[in-house]
Amino acid sequence: MTGITTGESEVEMSMSDEELRAVVEVSRILARYVQSVDAFDADKVASLFAPDGRIEGLSVGTLSGRDEIRAFFAARDVVVPPRRHHVTSINARIDPDGVLRSTSYLQVVGIGDLIAGVYEDEFEADGDDWLFKRKLIQLEVT
Amino acid sequence: MGLTDIELRAIVAVQRLMARYVQAVDAGDPDAIAALFAPTARMEGFVSVPVVDGREAIRQFFVDYQQRREPGLRHHITSIDAGFEDDGVLRATSYLHVIGGAQLIAGVYRDEFVPDGSDWLFAKRVVRVEIPRPVAAS
């Protein structure tokens, strides 16, 4: 156990090794997701999701499973220069129920209307990797 | 599971290196910027100077940049995907969004890193400015 002594009490203040790794992984998975979306790489986007992974909150309704996710992203019109999805302010944590989740901010940067919102994500372990189990997109500014 | 200990430390280190870079750029500190680069590092993709070779040239580039830059800019780095690639080299792709200027500036950084003792330095930094779109070289 590591901690610091403050007066009479030792305060447990270190994140578990498991959570530390998960937090860093989430920052990378989120980056991979937005970069794959912006690169119009539908296969790569789909590969970041569990086989039964879902995306909720889109105007088209819920996308269930890799095939629907792939089809949705493959159908998008290519825009040049790309409107890039910047993901920031990532709050990743293992919740008390043992599930890895994150809340993060989205801002679309590019020519055109301002689009911004919040991603609520839930992840599932897949061997050595983490995959999106559920991505909820809440657009707040469009 | 997941990340090895080396990967974990490397990813966190380069996330911090990128934050140090933008903060040194916005603070107008060419020495601090240059210290983040390996001696033989190279920067590519600036509209004014396509290739800047070596730490000293990079420092000089930012000395010149101080003279002409718009005040009050903040370079935001987001969406960092860092990791070791199959050739064993640590690389990252990230997004740039410059806030505070008269004009929208945004693009993508592609970086390569080299270890330096217990830390990591930029070995190569390619910036692709997408907005405003650079004028093609004539």
Side-chain angles (χ1 to χ4, degrees):
Chain A
M1 173 165 161
T2 53
I4 57 167
T5 301
T6 55
E8 292 167 8
S9 63
E10 173 151 300
V11 181
E12 175 59 56
M13 65 173 298
S14 71
M15 189 183 276
S16 73
D17 193 65
E18 181 196 12
E19 189 169 35
L20 171 67
R21 281 162 207 279
V23 166
V24 172
E25 289 251 45
V26 164
S27 71
R28 189 160 73 161
I29 296 162
L30 289 170
R32 286 187 175 159
Y33 170 80
V34 294
Q35 291 182 15
S36 305
V37 168
D38 296 337
F40 299 96
D41 188 341
D43 288 335
K44 181 76 188 292
V45 175
S47 74
L48 299 174
F49 285 79
D52 61 347
R54 295 195 313 275
I55 300 183
E56 298 174 18
L58 295 169
S59 56
V60 296
T62 298
L63 306 177
S64 290
R66 282 182 180 154
D67 288 345
E68 284 189 22
I69 292 169
R70 184 185 300 105
F72 173 80
F73 286 100
R76 290 167 68 231
D77 291 332
V78 173
V79 183
V80 180
R83 289 169 57 73
R84 296 208 175 261
H85 293 64
H86 288 236
V87 60
T88 75
S89 313
I90 300 164
N91 165 15
R93 73 277 171 183
I94 296 176
D95 280 331
D97 60 2
V99 175
L100 176 63
R101 294 191 182 87
S102 78
T103 305
S104 57
Y105 287 173
L106 161 71
Q107 182 179 3
V108 179
V109 175
I111 307 298
D113 295 337
L114 174 64
I115 296 175
V118 177
Y119 287 135
E120 293 284 356
D121 294 307
E122 199 173 299
F123 301 90
E124 180 178 79
D126 174 52
D128 271 357
D129 293 320
W130 288 98
L131 296 171
F132 287 105
K133 177 79 173 170
R134 173 178 182 251
K135 171 176 275 293
L136 171 62
I137 304 172
Q138 299 166 294
L139 294 183
E140 296 176 331
V141 180
T142 55
Chain B
M1 70 168 272
L3 298 172
T4 66
D5 197 58
I6 289 172
E7 276 179 311
L8 174 71
R9 285 161 203 281
I11 291 168
V12 174
V14 301
Q15 288 176 345
R16 186 169 66 175
L17 183 71
M18 282 185 258
R20 283 181 173 155
Y21 171 87
V22 291
Q23 291 176 12
V25 168
D26 294 334
D29 189 340
D31 290 336
I33 299 166
L36 306 174
F37 287 82
T40 58
R42 156 190 287 236
M43 275 205 78
E44 296 179 10
F46 292 120
V47 176
S48 55
V49 187
V51 179
V52 184
D53 240 327
R55 180 189 276 165
E56 175 50 30
I58 290 168
R59 195 190 67 80
Q60 190 57 51
F61 173 87
F62 282 101
V63 169
D64 298 341
Y65 172 76
Q66 295 315 313
Q67 311 305 316
R68 57 187 161 79
R69 71 176 185 149
E70 188 179 355
L73 299 184
R74 293 279 179 204
H75 290 65
H76 290 235
I77 296 290
T78 80
S79 316
I80 301 169
D81 176 11
F84 290 97
E85 296 187 353
D86 290 343
D87 59 2
V89 175
L90 179 64
R91 294 191 181 85
T93 305
S94 59
Y95 287 172
L96 164 70
H97 182 198
V98 183
I99 294 176
Q103 188 174 27
L104 174 63
I105 300 173
V108 176
Y109 281 120
R110 178 78 177 145
D111 295 313
E112 215 171 282
F113 307 92
V114 285
D116 175 58
S118 62
D119 221 333
W120 289 87
L121 297 174
F122 291 110
K124 186 178 173 190
R125 166 135 262 234
V126 178
V127 57
R128 187 169 73 236
V129 176
E130 296 177 329
I131 301 166
R133 306 196 72 184
V135 178
S138 54

